[in-house]
Amino acid sequence: MNKRLILVLFTMLMGCAGKSHQSFSTNIASETHKPCNKTEKAKVNLIGFSIGMNKCEVPGYAEYGEFDDYSGKVRLHGIKVKPMFDFDTNDKVEAVYIQIGPRRFEDLKEAYRKKYPELKCQSSKVQNRFGAQFENETCTVTGKDEILIISKYAENINNGVVLLKSLKSYEESKNRRKKYYDEI
């Protein structure tokens, strides 16, 4: 029997029919592999990625395996980006993180404002190591189980971020930060 046919049949039995060999080999190596069932579409998504979707449903996963080769193949409003993912213990997407240049922030903000009119933005000041201050802006939209955050500056003044995260994970992170700063 043809090796490709055996691989396709075995892949179908594992629940990821139609996925490539790369996806299959990654999934079979995982001890916690679950069948790839379609998840309910989330209200808020990020270029086709949504919180709670199964790993093998993520667009491009079959082509790019463990996402090492995503760089430059995914576009966010015309910008080449490399999404980074966090998966929970059930291989479901818990967060999608995309680094952006601060100069692209205004374009992204307007694009997401058209898509999500309920987008809310707040301004704040950030400071570099030399004491120079910059106007930062962070915009958020909250869905049923997820939050989308677009920030002009993140970690430093050279990078911004677009982050889609589960509300549960977001609240846990926020509480950890609060507790840390309360202890200082």
Side-chain angles (χ1 to χ4, degrees):
M1 199 184 259
N2 179 320
K3 285 183 182 180
R4 175 94 175 127
L5 180 59
I6 293 170
L7 181 62
V8 169
L9 290 172
F10 195 68
T11 303
M12 289 172 63
L13 289 172
M14 293 302 293
C16 285
K19 303 300 179 198
S20 75
H21 171 72
Q22 239 179 345
S23 175
F24 167 75
S25 62
T26 303
N27 286 332
I28 196 68
S30 169
E31 294 178 43
T32 60
H33 172 68
K34 305 281 188 273
C36 187
N37 300 316
K38 292 284 182 184
T39 53
E40 185 180 321
K41 292 293 178 197
K43 177 187 171 202
V44 179
N45 69 66
L46 181 59
I47 55 175
F49 307 118
S50 59
I51 298 304
M53 69 189 321
N54 291 308
K55 192 181 220 181
C56 60
E57 290 185 87
V58 173
Y61 180 75
E63 292 84 2
Y64 310 125
E66 285 294 321
F67 309 106
D68 293 334
D69 297 327
Y70 252 106
S71 188
K73 294 183 174 93
V74 177
R75 292 182 178 268
L76 176 65
H77 299 284
I79 306 165
K80 290 180 182 180
V81 296
K82 181 179 181 180
M84 293 175 265
F85 300 84
D86 281 338
F87 294 95
D88 66 14
T89 56
N90 296 317
D91 278 348
K92 293 192 178 278
V93 175
E94 193 169 66
V96 182
Y97 172 87
I98 297 174
Q99 206 170 42
I100 60 167
R103 288 179 287 185
R104 297 293 196 155
F105 174 79
E106 288 300 323
D107 295 335
L108 290 173
K109 179 175 80 169
E110 290 312 310
Y112 278 105
R113 189 176 302 285
K114 287 177 186 171
K115 187 173 182 177
Y116 304 112
E118 64 274 22
L119 187 75
K120 292 182 180 12
C121 298
Q122 292 182 327
S123 292
S124 62
K125 297 273 186 201
V126 292
Q127 185 173 313
N128 68 10
R129 288 185 236 169
F130 302 109
Q133 291 194 347
F134 301 88
E135 189 71 30
N136 190 21
E137 192 170 5
T138 302
C139 301
T140 60
V141 62
T142 305
K144 180 181 164 205
D145 297 317
E146 63 281 330
I147 185 167
L148 175 68
I149 302 166
I150 308 164
S151 189
K152 184 174 183 176
Y153 301 115
E155 297 178 11
N156 62 52
I157 59 166
N158 298 318
N159 297 307
V161 68
V162 178
L163 174 68
L164 180 65
K165 196 166 189 174
S166 75
L167 276 176
K168 179 183 174 194
S169 178
Y170 175 74
E171 290 299 326
E172 288 171 357
S173 297
K174 196 164 90 172
N175 291 337
R176 275 194 306 275
R177 277 191 311 274
K178 184 182 179 328
K179 183 179 177 186
Y180 172 79
Y181 286 112
D182 286 349
E183 291 175 356
I184 292 181

